[in-house]
Amino acid sequence: MDKFKVMIVDDELDFLETIIKRLKARKIEVTGAESGQRALEILAGQDIDVIVLDVKMPGMDGIETLRAIKERKPLTEVIMLTGHASVESGIQGMQLGAFDYVMKPVALDELLEKMRQAYERKLIQEGKV
Amino acid sequence: MGSKMEENYYQKLWWEIIIATIGFSVIPLFVLGLVIYLQYSESYQAKITESLKTLAENRVGAIDLFFEERISQLTTLANTNPLEKLQEEDYLNRVFNIIQTRSKSFIDLGVIDAEGNHLAYVGPYYNILKGVNYKNEEWFNAVMGSGVYISDVFLGFRKIPHFIIAVLVREKTNIWILRATINSDIIENIVHAAQTGKKGDAFIINRNNILQTTPRFSGTLLSTPEAPNLSAATGISVEQIDYLGETSLYATSLIKNKKWVLVIKENPTEQLTPLLRARFITLLICGAGVLVIILGAVFSTRSMMKELLRMERKKAASEDLAMQSSKMAALGKMAAGIAHEINNPLAVIGEKAGWLKDLLREEDLGTSPNFEEFADAVNKIEVHVNRAKKITHRLLGFARRMEPVQERVNLNDILDDTIGFLENDARYRNIDIQTDFFEGLPSTTSDSSQLQQVFLNILNNAIDAIGKDGEITVKTSHLAKINNLAVEISDNGPGIPKEMVDKIFDPFFTTKTVGKGTGLGLSISYSIIDKLGGRMMVASEQGKGTTFTIYLPIK
């Protein structure tokens, strides 16, 4: 059950690199994408269980990316990551099918817990299908 | 400065409204009063004139009738009795007695021939008059010429006012005169009947302005009356004439049979008393009307101005509120932007520190002499990232007031913080803030920032109310029985007037001048406490101070 694939999408490269390293150190299969576009490309090539998606990015923003992801892989769970305590974008994300939203900076353990919950939900959803 | 100008403006407006109201009401009132009075006056004057005319006409008619009756009596007598008979004094005496039984006005009766000799005489002055020859008398010549003659009034031998009527009789060959002396009492009586009121007068004058009757006030018989010369009068007329500083109404009428003039004098003030009363009443009503209008204008203007001021204040408050909220919105946007920008680097720092921690754990650095130092430094970085995160999250919370936060709060701590904000201001105004905190006050679940807003509002109001030199006491207590916490904030300011205590939680109620306070602070505080499940109360005594008490449930 712990074996699940994660993708982190954030334009902040330092953040992206570090969190990937830390997740890998925790034996989690993780890939990173620095833009929404890139995330969709990666998603086209492989199945991802949980995506952590930054809301505010240049080019394709988090909400747009979320919409595209849900179109292509509706079962993929998405956790919105925001630097902005915007209830609206959080709620909007949830309405579009995001699993949850967390605010930056977030403790890794907390994020991991959310990822696990998201993966569990994905398993339940797949079971139903 | 602004309020001074505003005050002047309201003062000016007040006067303008009052003057306009009074002007537009009083002018029509006066016009109406004047018109009614003039109309009434005119018709009343006309009525007086008319009644005076009627009186004069009436009197003159009576006098003329009297004359005509006497003349016809004499004419009849003369023409139905032959001269031979009337010459006999016995017969004349009998005839005279018959006449006298019907009208007592005949004094004597004489028969005179064409030469002026007294042929026969009946009357009280037989001895004096029997031998008199009238040939050269004025009346004798007049009667010979015109056939009928009426004399002016004279006193004659008898020293009583009387006049004579003489008629000429033409028989076939004979011309003779029947002459009678008539007491003017009856004419006097007819004229006196027209002497009305307290100052009214009536008299007869001849063409030479000599009195033919005794007036009531204006002179004596056979003298010139103390009145304007009206002897030239022709028809009936009524005139108002000033005579010797006295204004009177004079009615004149000509007596046909004997070109005398009847004069009736009336005092206009006496006659016009109803008119004067009407004038007085008109003035009284106008005066009362003006008074009522002024009072009404003042009252209505006052309430209008009050309403205007209230609306002005409300408008100012809502403008204030709008400005305040747009200010807050701008500030919030800025705060949110800053928080967001800081959150990203903070996230990186946090991750980096986390990575370092991971590495420290994984690799065998335990042997390194500085291992403890590394670990401590990384931990500290994480602690301070957390601290910064709390600040940015609070900033974001400020920017967008989200759902009320439910957190464990300790009222003593919140109050301490809040008082800390205001201590400088209070010290500057020499206001001492005393605290009396319940030790070991239980904590409760509530929203600390909203509570802080409420406490800040009440304390600020207290400081404003005191102004300078005073004391504020903040007391907390635990009401275990009702499972409540209580906060009491008391000041020793001037207190709130009784009639206002009920209103202080109303939106837009403020005692501060327009533009200074929105009147929203306490109403917002009240609704915050209400939303948090508590109650807020106020007690105030003028001159002693005000106490706000807040009860919060322990949850």
Side-chain angles (χ1 to χ4, degrees), chain A residues 12 14-15 18-19 21-22 25-26 56 83-85 87-88 103-106 108, chain B residues 336 340-341 343-344 346-348 350-352 354-355 358 362 389 393 396 400 402:
Chain A
E12 191 85 45
D14 280 341
F15 178 78
T18 318
I19 202 164
K21 273 193 251 176
R22 293 187 73 193
R26 281 164 179 73
K56 210 181 168 198
H84 200 294
V87 185
E88 289 99 90
M103 242 170 88
K104 272 192 197 173
V106 60
L108 190 65
Chain B
H340 181 72
E341 290 313 314
N343 273 345
N344 277 322
L346 270 183
V348 177
E351 285 315 311
K352 291 289 181 196
W355 179 232
D358 288 352
E362 265 171 35
K389 175 182 136 183
H393 283 196
L396 285 165
R400 304 190 171 231
M402 293 183 293

Side-chain angles (χ1 to χ4, degrees), chain A residues 105-118:
Chain A
V106 60
L108 190 65
D109 293 341
E110 204 180 308
L111 187 61
L112 262 174
E113 186 51 38
K114 284 252 157 69
M115 285 179 191
R116 274 197 194 99
Q117 288 169 3

Side-chain angles (χ1 to χ4, degrees), chain B residues 94-247:
Chain B
R94 250 184 22 239
V95 171
F96 180 65
N97 284 337
I98 293 166
I99 296 170
Q100 269 222 317
T101 53
R102 303 301 301 163
S103 67
K104 292 268 191 264
S105 49
F106 285 88
I107 294 170
D108 62 9
L109 201 60
V111 179
I112 295 152
D113 68 8
E115 303 305 315
N117 296 313
H118 234 149
L119 298 179
Y121 173 80
V122 184
Y125 304 104
Y126 186 83
N127 293 330
I128 305 167
L129 294 176
K130 179 65 177 117
V132 173
N133 185 291
Y134 290 113
K135 195 178 180 125
N136 295 321
E137 294 284 328
E138 190 196 329
W139 69 264
F140 182 76
N141 292 322
V143 78
M144 290 301 279
S146 61
V148 177
Y149 175 78
I150 303 170
S151 76
D152 278 344
V153 171
F154 60 99
L155 292 173
F157 303 107
R158 304 158 190 139
K159 301 292 173 209
I160 57 160
H162 62 270
F163 60 96
I164 59 169
I165 295 177
V167 293
L168 185 73
V169 187
R170 289 173 197 275
E171 291 183 343
K172 274 163 224 153
T173 50
N174 246 340
I175 293 174
W176 53 280
I177 293 163
L178 185 62
R179 170 193 161 283
T181 304
I182 293 169
N183 194 332
S184 53
D185 266 3
I186 294 197
I187 291 186
E188 289 269 359
N189 286 341
I190 293 171
V191 172
H192 285 176
Q195 293 172 344
T196 57
K198 282 181 185 156
K199 287 189 166 176
D201 208 345
F203 50 82
I204 291 173
I205 48 173
N206 67 10
R207 284 300 196 193
N208 297 321
N209 197 25
I210 300 296
L211 282 165
Q212 300 300 306
T213 61
T214 307
R216 203 168 164 204
F217 305 108
S218 326
T220 52
L221 184 70
L222 298 179
S223 66
T224 309
E226 292 164 16
N229 189 346
L230 298 164
S231 56
T234 49
I236 294 172
S237 75
V238 176
E239 262 183 291
Q240 185 162 325
I241 299 170
D242 284 319
Y243 182 73
L244 297 178
E246 195 188 352
T247 305

